[in-house]
Amino acid sequence: MSEFRTAKGGRICRKTPLNFSFDGQSYAGLQGDSLASALLANGVHFVARSYKYHRPRGIMSAGTEEASALVGIDRGKGRFDTSTRATTQELFDGLKAQSQHCWPSLKFDVGALTALGSPVMSTGFYYKTFMWPKAFWEWVYEPILRNLAGLGRAPKEMDPDNYSSIHAHCDVLIIGAGPAGLAAALAASQSGSKVILVDENNEIGGDLLNCPIAQIDGTNSWDWLAETEKQLASLPNVTILTRTTAFGYYDQNFIGVVQKLSDHLGSLENKPDNKTLRERLWKVRAKRVVLATGSIERPLVFAGNDRPGIMLATAAKTFLNRYGVKVGNRPLVITNHDSAYESAFDLAEAGVEVAAIIDRRAKISSKLVEQAGKMGIEILLGHTIVQTSGKHRVCSVRAAPVGENASIRKIKCDAVLMCGGWTPSVHLFSQSRGTLTWRDDIGAYVPNNYTQDATSVGACNGDFLMSQSLNKGAVAGLEAAVSAGAKAPKSTSYKVVNEALTSDIPVEEIGIFSTIGEGKAFVDFQHDVTAKDIGQAVREGFHSIEHIKRFTTTGMATDQGKTSNLNGLAIASAALERPITEVGLTTFRPPYTPTSFGVLAGYSRGDLFDVTRKSPTEKWAEQNGAVFEPVGLWRRARYFPKTGENMHEAVARECKATRTSIGISDASTLGKIEVVGPDAAEFLNRIYTNPWSKLGVGRCRYGLMLGEDGYIFDDGVVGRLSEDRFHVTTTTSGAPRVFARMEDYRQTEWPELKVWLTSITEQWAVIALNGPNVRKLIEPFVEGIDFSKDTFPHMAIREGMIFGVPTRLFRVSFTGELGFEVNVPSAYGLGVWQRLMEAGKKFDIVPYGTESLHMLRAEKGYIIVGQETDGTQTPDDMGMNWAIGKKKQDFIGKRSLVRSDMLAPNRKQLVGLMTNDANIVLDEGAQIMGEKSNVIPAKMIGHITSSYWSETLQHSIALAIIDGGRARMGEEIYISMPGGFYPARIVDPVFYDPEGERLNV
Amino acid sequence: MSEQIETTLNPFNPLDDMNLDAAQGPDLIMRPIENCARFNLRISIEQLKKAAAAFGMDIPDSVGSMSSRAEKYALCLGPDEWLLLAPQKSADEIITRFAKLAKNNSHSLVDVSHRTIGIEISGSLAQLALSAGCPLDLENMQIGRCTRTILDKAEIILMKLEQQRYRLEVIRSFAPYVWSFLEKSGQDARA
Amino acid sequence: MLLIDCPYCKEMRPEVEFSHAGEAHIDRPADPSSLSDEEWESFLFLRSNRAGICFERWYHIHGCGRYFNAVRNNVSEKFILTYPAGQKRPSDAQIKGALS
């Protein structure tokens, strides 16, 4: 056992020794240790280098507020966590920790040389220095700074851990399981309210864990804690979550909570099932929230206050009482608050020689003087520290009377315990958009106006005494349960003996920074911001606290200024010569403590990263070697290569087969809506540009839908099944927005129409068959439909059976060939497809995907909404005035079509392009110019919207939109591409079978 | 449209290709529901009684309510929207009876039997598995209630049949995703 | 995540079930063709875009499928009132009442 481990006491398990390593050196610790307490038990204080100046740093706290002792924790491949607080990392056997911000080693660090030039690296250094010359930023400064910058390093491997998330609902959520939170939980749970109690520590108790000498209602505090835990755990309506941090407080009592499940268990690398969860995200919705988040001790700002061995006074007490670790053999205390005396007395009680208590105050309570006297501890009243010494650990301080630079006295010590008062943890309260009020007596902000159903109790509300926490917690718990709907339970009150000391702290004592003394006086330990930096920011004209924060970066590190914010405010207040309440406050933002990306991503990784929608025939395509592409959430077959074929060859073969015999393709992803009701036709009249009243039953029509702005919104074929029933199709990606739009008008603009909509997109599998032999293929398998050319013409729909299953058979074509779209109930899509493939063998049927689909329609000049259009094209721009019902009084977007700019002759219009060189396939998106010109800026007259190699025409073809294009037929234009200017001729967009003879066979 | 199909074609359920046993245990049982007839009914609330007569059982009129008898369910999903579930063999009769109703009472009955896949999830962990992706307070959802809602990235129709037994209706192409999600969240609920 | 009181479901429901659908109480003109360019512009493009209490349309897309209206403070994000589409805009007194 090391000389720093006490002989008895603490909450560690002395029977369970653990081995761990820090920077490759092996050490021993105990079960129940934090990494920090285990290091201190081995006499190790120097554990890190600071971020900016690479100064040696030690362990400054015992908890979540730690800003200095940040280390890397290696739990195996892909499981490296950077900037982990040594104070919150529980020790496990085999733990491997590494220091950061140092190279080649912690003790000899090249980066620390920057400290020699530190006057140069004053605040705002980065902003100012690297501004000029501009090109230097990209090539010189950034690569160098990137290499030096950052808080630790991130692992390069994929995170192998499992993360989960859950929505939880409760009556009362209690955040913090110290005395206030526990009393609240006991009270709230009495009458059956559903209570969730969370605490970020590995065990509940909060400040009780530091105070074994306190007695609650005559019971020793630790016994009371054990009894309370037992009682709460036995209640089915109470959920206690330890190692669980409420990191964000959102609207309407929605709280983000992260539960750590395995970081304390050691390496998961050898667990074969990989089912262990690392963290779980609880998305809690609480009727009522009790904030019992405690308070954080403030450091004092004095020259050289950052050496290893200098820590918060309460940290020393926690290490002693909770972990059985003495932080030194000769600690010295510097304070302006009574609570630091507890640390001194507890250490003295444990046999540690306290070097002295330096108290900035001229007068303190006689009880403290008496007690110190009894213990033989010297008190220097009205004194402060003006300098500290010790390279890798503090070894002495120089004390002087406050405000003087004389009568300096050197005092040897191996640790300095500082206390500058206490700051209530109002982070979550502030995130809830509550407003704070300043309390002069404690020198801190406390909650004032609540905007959500919450209440703050205990130290986070400025009530620092344990008895206040318990009693006010009990009342808050009771009220919370009642306001959440429970019957009024009985009230409780607590009596506490030997509770913590508290005292007033005058406002001028906060963030006190004396210009007397040598060395840097740190405010923000993690971001290396000194008191001088804040003064400099003010001198340079930054007067808003938000600007001061950003210029100096104080409070902007991963600890979010837990220990520095108020000191920073106070120093700014002095520099600005404005009262602290007029300086303002910076914003508290989630997360309260660093939160892993893994837990925020939760289930959204791997197969569950996003939904992959597969069409009913996808299985066949998969088995037959299709290459897929994502289309929205859908996965669609792009082409079906035969062995050795590339995409170009496959598409050429697929197109040729479709034009000469039969191509088969899955069109199931098209949106489909069944529009039913006596006013269905009238409804469609208003939705589409086309007229619908006279469309005969059994006939189809291409429909064009505009926005109210007159621009093309969606398109598709609509079939009339009966007088009052239409089968509407939409684009694949437009399906949800078309449905939402139709519902909107139906519900809110035309509620008088008797019409209803049902999404049937996934009710039907759609198999598109195109080519001259299609009729011959399907006719034998269809029942109840007359297939003759005249009774079942192009643009018609029939209902019947195919292969014994019901079908809605559309005679439509998106290829220009004889085409049928076979709709069958989705579960039969695969079976029908397989039968068609089988039966189609004698016609050399060929499956094709989206690539050929696009090619085939482009040869016909059929547009794709979203490819030829970008949301600024009118029907006329697309040459589709034929789709507008001229006699209709109104339809969505009609009024916009007669705005003057919509009628301008030089609008961009759809045209076809034929390249002069048949083999040049133009780039989609390439810009078009009227002349070959390198003059900048060149005048662009349009761009390519679609471009392909046409196997049928043995020529490259393209669709484009060009200023006044229809009036420019035959003109030569130039397309700018990386290889130069390519000439092409403007032609009609219908390249193939312009008369449409192939459709009407 | 008839669902009584005399055919040699086998219906294909996208869950057929999944390992359905992966998530199973006494605390969590998931199973795809056999094919059934599903209809989307839209009708004005005044005519609901007539629709109930055509369907052959009571149809509730408040959003979120559900009635059931034998293997039939009527879910009120919106103020003028109902989902009717029935055994496949009764589909033709339902269609016929609603067609008769249509003569004097305009409404919309659309066959959506294939639009969704039914999944039943039960066991002591069912609620936890669902709560991983569903933001509703399922513990306090009453038995016999139903609603359209969200499960992670999918829209679902959720029916609470018993305290520990739920039925989901999931859009067909989302069903494998929902199944995989519940499999994983169910496994995590055990952790 | 907000909770939204759906006037059709008559329940507080999570925000993820809804989508926002623009400003409320902008009626589509009965006969757009009779409108001047300025009037049509006003209908099509001009919105009040106020900070504070505003009237909005919401769509319970993953719930009951209904569009409805809401009075909301878009600064605090809080919903003050929700009511079915087609219902009159609540009076200042009603909004005040709901706020207190």
Side-chain angles (χ1 to χ4, degrees):
Chain A
M1 197 61 59
S2 94
E3 58 170 315
F4 297 105
R5 187 73 77 176
T6 58
K8 58 182 173 49
R11 300 179 73 84
I12 47 224
C13 176
R14 290 172 194 267
K15 283 182 212 147
T16 316
L18 304 174
N19 290 308
F20 71 102
S21 74
F22 177 66
D23 280 348
Q25 168 92 38
S26 292
Y27 297 101
L30 293 173
Q31 183 72 43
D33 260 329
S34 69
L35 174 60
S37 71
L39 285 164
L40 292 173
N42 286 282
V44 178
H45 275 259
F46 175 28
V47 296
R49 290 230 176 227
S50 70
Y51 161 67
K52 190 158 131 194
Y53 302 123
H54 290 233
R55 285 167 71 99
R57 287 283 162 81
I59 293 159
M60 68 165 290
S61 78
T64 198
E65 68 270 38
E66 182 62 36
S68 287
L70 303 176
V71 298
I73 303 291
D74 187 353
R75 294 178 300 117
K77 198 168 153 57
R79 291 184 161 106
F80 183 84
D81 285 308
T82 195
S83 298
T84 303
R85 289 154 291 160
T87 51
T88 61
Q89 173 65 50
E90 290 172 58
L91 200 68
F92 56 80
D93 200 43
L95 180 144
K96 282 187 260 178
Q98 291 169 18
S99 56
Q100 51 191 37
H101 306 144
C102 53
W103 182 84
S105 75
L106 187 61
K107 294 225 161 107
F108 178 77
D109 171 43
V110 169
L113 298 175
T114 58
L116 300 174
S118 67
V120 178
M121 282 195 39
S122 70
T123 199
F125 172 70
Y126 290 87
Y127 296 138
K128 294 169 187 166
T129 312
F130 302 112
M131 293 293 286
W132 185 90
K134 212 173 160 188
F136 265 48
W137 177 251
E138 191 176 345
W139 302 109
V140 182
Y141 300 139
E142 191 180 356
I144 294 171
L145 289 179
R146 284 251 175 266
N147 198 31
L148 283 175
L151 297 163
R153 68 168 178 86
K156 290 191 171 68
E157 303 86 3
M158 195 176 84
D159 184 346
D161 279 320
N162 282 312
Y163 299 88
S164 108
S165 71
I166 193 155
H167 292 273
H169 304 260
C170 64
D171 295 313
V172 185
L173 171 68
I174 300 166
I175 301 169
L182 288 170
L186 285 169
S189 59
Q190 274 181 66
S191 50
S193 296
K194 194 176 169 194
V195 174
I196 299 178
L197 173 65
V198 304
D199 193 284
E200 60 184 339
N201 291 290
N202 62 335
E203 57 178 331
I204 61 169
D207 201 39
L208 294 176
L209 302 172
N210 297 340
C211 298
I213 57 162
Q215 291 203 329
I216 301 166
D217 290 342
T219 310
N220 176 296
S221 66
W222 285 7
D223 293 337
W224 184 87
L225 177 60
E227 192 50 47
T228 301
E229 183 166 19
K230 215 166 106 189
Q231 191 184 334
L232 289 172
S234 72
L235 296 171
N237 55 319
V238 178
T239 305
I240 304 175
L241 302 171
T242 53
R243 302 184 177 94
T244 302
T245 305
F247 67 83
Y249 197 135
Y250 305 93
D251 293 297
Q252 287 169 295
N253 277 353
F254 190 62
I255 321 284
V257 176
V258 169
Q259 180 185 21
K260 287 185 184 289
L261 292 155
S262 61
D263 277 6
H264 60 291
L265 295 178
S267 177
L268 301 178
E269 241 180 349
N270 300 321
K271 297 225 172 181
D273 63 353
N274 197 30
K275 282 183 181 168
T276 309
L277 290 177
R278 184 179 184 212
E279 293 173 353
R280 175 178 276 135
L281 176 64
W282 293 71
K283 294 176 257 189
V284 180
R285 181 77 70 175
K287 288 193 184 131
R288 187 91 193 169
V289 173
V290 176
L291 293 161
T293 47
S295 59
I296 291 170
E297 194 174 20
R298 287 194 288 266
L300 283 168
V301 184
F302 55 87
N305 64 348
D306 69 326
R307 285 183 206 282
I310 303 180
M311 63 175 66
L312 296 170
T314 198
K317 186 175 141 193
T318 302
F319 286 124
L320 180 71
N321 292 332
R322 193 170 158 194
Y323 298 104
V325 173
K326 295 177 273 191
V327 299
N329 288 327
R330 197 180 143 77
L332 174 139
V333 175
I334 164 100
T335 185
N336 57 11
H337 191 271
D338 287 357
S339 70
Y341 286 77
E342 286 173 34
S343 302
F345 297 159
D346 283 4
L347 282 162
E349 192 75 38
V352 177
E353 181 195 352
V354 176
I357 298 175
I358 301 174
D359 199 319
R360 296 183 49 85
R361 298 169 296 181
K363 215 179 137 197
I364 57 166
S365 100
S366 56
K367 270 196 217 159
L368 295 178
V369 178
E370 215 173 281
Q371 176 76 14
K374 260 192 233 162
M375 294 184 136
I377 305 172
E378 183 188 6
I379 303 178
L380 282 82
L381 287 177
H383 275 66
T384 191
I385 293 176
V386 292
Q387 197 188 339
T388 65
S389 307
K391 191 179 177 198
H392 291 155
R393 176 155 175 197
V394 66
C395 62
S396 67
V397 304
R398 279 159 215 270
V402 172
E404 289 178 33
N405 199 11
S407 323
I408 291 172
R409 193 177 132 192
K410 182 177 169 183
I411 307 171
K412 285 201 166 174
C413 61
D414 62 358
V416 175
L417 316 182
M418 55 183 168
C419 175
W422 292 80
T423 309
S425 293
V426 294
H427 310 74
L428 291 171
F429 169 78
S430 294
Q431 287 177 24
S432 82
R433 300 198 189 183
T435 55
L436 301 166
T437 187
W438 178 260
R439 254 179 67 183
D440 258 337
D441 59 333
I442 59 168
Y445 282 99
V446 291
N448 186 24
N449 284 319
Y450 289 81
T451 61
Q452 304 206 31
D453 291 330
T455 183
S456 299
V457 284
C460 72
N461 201 34
D463 294 326
F464 297 113
L465 286 173
M466 193 181 286
S467 54
Q468 289 173 321
S469 288
L470 287 164
N471 287 312
K472 294 196 174 182
V475 172
L478 193 141
E479 283 174 359
V482 170
S483 84
K487 274 188 289 186
K490 65 175 198 298
S491 58
T492 323
S493 72
Y494 298 92
K495 282 202 174 59
V496 183
V497 179
N498 282 341
E499 61 185 322
L501 294 170
T502 183
S503 63
D504 286 0
I505 183 156
V507 66
E508 54 275 12
E509 267 297 329
I510 307 158
I512 189 77
F513 161 62
S514 162
T515 47
I516 301 165
E518 280 177 41
K520 290 176 190 296
F522 283 88
V523 177
D524 182 331
F525 291 80
Q526 194 180 350
H527 256 173
D528 268 358
V529 180
T530 65
K532 269 187 186 160
D533 292 335
I534 295 171
Q536 186 197 335
V538 170
R539 278 199 307 282
E540 294 196 14
F542 296 93
H543 290 179
S544 150
I545 193 65
E546 292 285 0
H547 292 160
I548 292 168
K549 167 180 164 176
R550 279 157 187 81
F551 187 63
T552 61
T553 75
T554 184
M556 288 172 70
T558 58
D559 70 329
Q560 294 209 32
K562 287 187 180 61
T563 52
S564 63
N565 277 344
L566 211 61
N567 284 339
L569 276 185
I571 291 165
S573 145
L576 290 162
E577 295 174 0
R578 288 209 301 258
I580 196 162
T581 47
E582 284 171 32
V583 171
L585 260 174
T586 54
T587 312
F588 292 89
R589 291 193 179 83
Y592 172 67
T593 50
T595 302
S596 69
F597 283 112
V599 81
L600 295 177
Y603 289 106
S604 297
R605 57 189 297 183
D607 289 346
L608 297 175
F609 176 72
D610 209 347
V611 181
T612 302
R613 302 175 72 180
K614 295 178 179 176
S615 89
T617 69
E618 204 262 6
K619 191 178 175 180
W620 187 94
E622 176 80 54
Q623 287 166 349
N624 286 274
V627 174
F628 292 93
E629 68 170 343
V631 180
L633 290 180
W634 289 101
R635 182 176 187 248
R636 294 191 73 177
R638 192 175 182 195
Y639 57 99
F640 292 81
K642 293 199 160 172
T643 314
E645 270 183 350
N646 62 23
M647 182 172 87
H648 174 77
E649 289 156 353
V651 168
R653 175 178 51 74
E654 291 169 14
C655 290
K656 192 172 173 203
T658 306
R659 293 258 181 255
T660 56
S661 184
I662 302 178
I664 181 170
S665 168
D666 186 325
S668 304
T669 62
L670 287 181
K672 302 169 210 69
I673 301 166
E674 198 152 316
V675 180
V676 184
D679 296 323
E682 174 56 22
F683 179 72
L684 295 179
N685 279 338
R686 299 183 189 187
I687 293 282
Y688 285 96
T689 61
N690 321 61
W692 299 95
S693 302
K694 288 184 181 157
L695 182 72
V697 171
R699 294 310 301 263
C700 300
R701 182 168 287 163
Y702 170 83
L704 196 59
M705 204 181 291
L706 308 182
E708 290 286 13
D709 55 11
Y711 296 131
I712 292 172
F713 179 78
D714 206 82
D715 69 350
V717 169
V718 178
R720 189 167 201 167
L721 294 161
S722 65
E723 274 303 314
D724 65 350
R725 192 176 291 256
F726 291 81
H727 181 121
V728 168
T729 66
T730 74
T731 60
T732 294
S733 55
R737 64 172 178 264
V738 169
F739 188 84
R741 141 87 66 102
M742 284 187 175
E743 269 297 336
D744 188 356
Y745 279 85
R746 190 189 75 86
Q747 289 178 24
T748 66
E749 296 295 349
W750 310 316
E752 72 283 2
L753 294 184
K754 277 194 179 331
V755 61
W756 294 277
L757 313 169
T758 301
S759 169
I760 49 166
T761 300
E762 299 225 26
Q763 164 69 12
W764 299 98
V766 184
I767 299 166
L769 293 155
N770 282 276
N773 290 324
V774 169
R775 187 185 282 118
K776 277 186 267 177
L777 166 65
I778 55 176
E779 198 169 1
F781 307 110
V782 175
E783 293 165 60
I785 296 174
D786 182 347
F787 260 92
S788 64
K789 184 185 160 190
D790 298 327
T791 51
F792 194 179
H794 180 54
M795 297 306 272
I797 177 173
R798 296 288 181 268
E799 291 179 273
M801 307 284 273
I802 185 166
F803 298 111
V805 300
T807 181
R808 285 180 181 176
L809 189 59
F810 285 74
R811 184 172 166 194
V812 291
S813 172
F814 198 44
T815 61
E817 301 299 329
L818 172 66
F820 288 91
E821 286 186 358
V822 180
N823 286 246
V824 290
S826 294
Y828 297 106
L830 181 63
V832 169
W833 176 284
Q834 286 164 334
R835 293 291 175 90
L836 287 168
M837 287 305 297
E838 190 60 34
K841 271 185 188 158
K842 65 177 167 186
F843 301 104
D844 296 322
I845 191 170
V846 166
Y848 67 90
T850 50
E851 201 63 31
S852 293
L853 171 87
H854 290 169
M855 167 69 233
L856 292 163
R857 64 88 207 179
E859 285 177 342
K860 288 290 294 178
Y862 295 149
I863 66 160
I864 290 179
V865 173
Q867 181 146 352
E868 269 62 58
T869 69
D870 62 8
T872 62
Q873 278 72 37
T874 66
D876 184 61
D877 295 343
M878 291 289 112
M880 292 168 85
N881 271 345
W882 53 263
I884 295 176
K886 303 287 183 303
K887 290 182 195 150
K888 290 204 294 181
Q889 174 68 26
D890 190 20
F891 56 79
I892 295 174
K894 180 176 164 75
R895 175 63 185 81
S896 289
L897 295 179
V898 293
R899 286 169 55 221
S900 54
D901 53 319
M902 303 293 251
L903 299 168
N906 208 36
R907 289 184 60 84
K908 285 195 166 57
Q909 293 168 337
L910 180 73
V911 294
L913 296 180
M914 291 286 255
T915 44
N916 289 9
D917 178 345
N919 292 312
I920 296 287
V921 179
L922 299 168
D923 292 349
E924 286 180 356
Q927 294 292 321
I928 300 168
M929 291 183 287
E931 52 197 33
K932 222 191 263 188
S933 162
N934 283 322
V935 178
I936 295 172
K939 180 163 167 42
M940 308 297 178
I941 60 169
H943 69 270
I944 310 289
T945 60
S946 296
S947 175
Y948 309 89
W949 168 254
S950 167
E951 188 68 11
T952 314
L953 303 173
Q954 288 297 303
H955 199 292
S956 138
I957 59 165
L959 295 172
I961 51 173
I962 290 184
D963 293 342
R966 282 203 297 274
R968 305 170 79 148
M969 287 298 149
E971 263 183 44
E972 189 170 75
I973 45 86
Y974 302 90
I975 294 92
S976 169
M977 298 204 307
F981 295 103
Y982 294 88
R985 218 162 18 87
I986 299 179
V987 297
D988 189 89
V990 185
F991 297 94
Y992 182 68
D993 186 27
E995 307 305 322
E997 282 165 3
R998 302 182 66 84
L999 289 169
N1000 296 308
V1001 291
Chain B
M1 179 137 337
S2 167
E3 273 299 308
Q4 282 176 288
I5 297 160
E6 299 291 328
T7 174
T8 51
L9 289 183
N10 289 323
F12 174 72
N13 181 324
L15 298 181
D16 290 351
D17 284 349
M18 321 235 356
N19 173 10
L20 299 183
D21 297 329
Q24 309 295 331
D27 48 3
L28 186 70
I29 303 144
M30 279 162 52
R31 66 174 188 92
I33 287 170
E34 316 63 55
N35 292 334
C36 70
R38 299 174 174 89
F39 296 98
N40 180 267
L41 171 68
R42 311 294 295 268
I43 194 165
S44 71
I45 205 104
E46 294 79 32
Q47 290 158 314
L48 191 63
K49 282 228 157 67
K50 289 171 184 163
F55 189 49
M57 66 177 247
D58 183 47
I59 300 178
D61 62 359
S62 75
V63 181
S65 303
M66 175 169 82
S67 61
S68 69
R69 206 170 74 196
E71 288 166 67
K72 278 172 155 178
Y73 291 91
L75 288 69
C76 184
L77 295 176
D80 67 345
E81 183 184 356
W82 290 264
L83 179 67
L84 308 180
L85 307 175
Q88 220 168 58
K89 60 182 189 309
S90 58
D92 276 350
E93 194 196 337
I94 293 168
I95 291 169
T96 313
R97 294 175 74 161
F98 273 94
K100 274 186 202 153
L101 179 70
K103 286 187 185 121
N104 298 311
N105 300 280
S106 55
H107 69 270
S108 160
L109 185 83
V110 175
D111 184 350
V112 290
S113 303
H114 291 246
R115 184 171 72 172
T116 52
I117 301 289
I119 297 172
E120 188 182 275
I121 176 166
S122 60
S124 56
L125 297 180
Q127 184 203 307
L128 283 177
L130 288 166
S131 287
C134 179
L136 299 179
D137 185 354
L138 300 179
E139 190 180 334
N140 289 321
M141 183 179 184
Q142 283 168 20
I143 295 165
R145 296 286 290 176
C146 64
T147 185
R148 207 183 272 123
T149 184
I150 291 284
L151 184 86
D152 198 49
K153 298 178 191 77
E155 179 183 291
I156 58 165
I157 291 165
L158 182 68
M159 302 154 68
K160 184 158 178 175
L161 305 175
E162 291 167 17
Q163 194 54 35
Q164 295 188 352
R165 191 160 71 90
Y166 297 83
R167 173 170 173 171
L168 279 61
E169 288 289 321
V170 185
I171 302 283
R172 174 171 289 261
S173 65
F174 285 81
Y177 175 86
V178 165
W179 186 279
S180 303
F181 181 87
L182 290 173
E183 209 171 74
K184 174 84 166 77
S185 66
Q187 186 192 88
D188 289 352
R190 289 193 186 104
Chain C
M1 181 165 55
L2 295 167
L3 289 172
I4 301 173
D5 191 1
C6 173
Y8 293 98
C9 294
K10 300 185 172 69
E11 265 185 344
M12 293 293 261
R13 304 283 294 227
E15 187 186 342
V16 289
E17 291 180 352
F18 298 82
S19 65
H20 185 263
E23 187 170 339
H25 301 295
I26 297 169
D27 293 336
R28 189 173 189 272
D31 181 13
S33 299
S34 66
L35 264 55
S36 68
D37 277 359
E38 288 70 30
E39 288 166 330
W40 185 243
E41 178 205 26
S42 164
F43 162 73
L44 205 51
F45 299 120
L46 304 183
R47 297 294 178 263
S48 54
N49 197 28
R50 279 190 311 193
I53 289 180
C54 58
F55 298 87
E56 297 176 330
R57 281 157 27 89
W58 284 79
Y59 180 28
H60 199 180
I61 179 169
H62 302 299
C64 65
R66 297 300 294 199
Y67 285 82
F68 61 92
N69 294 334
V71 185
R72 195 171 71 95
N73 184 327
N74 62 14
V75 175
S76 71
E77 293 179 15
K78 276 188 179 162
F79 278 82
I80 298 160
L81 275 172
T82 57
Y83 49 102
Q87 196 165 299
K88 247 177 52 200
R89 182 197 296 254
S91 67
D92 289 354
Q94 282 171 306
I95 295 169
K96 233 183 205 166
L99 276 170
S100 59

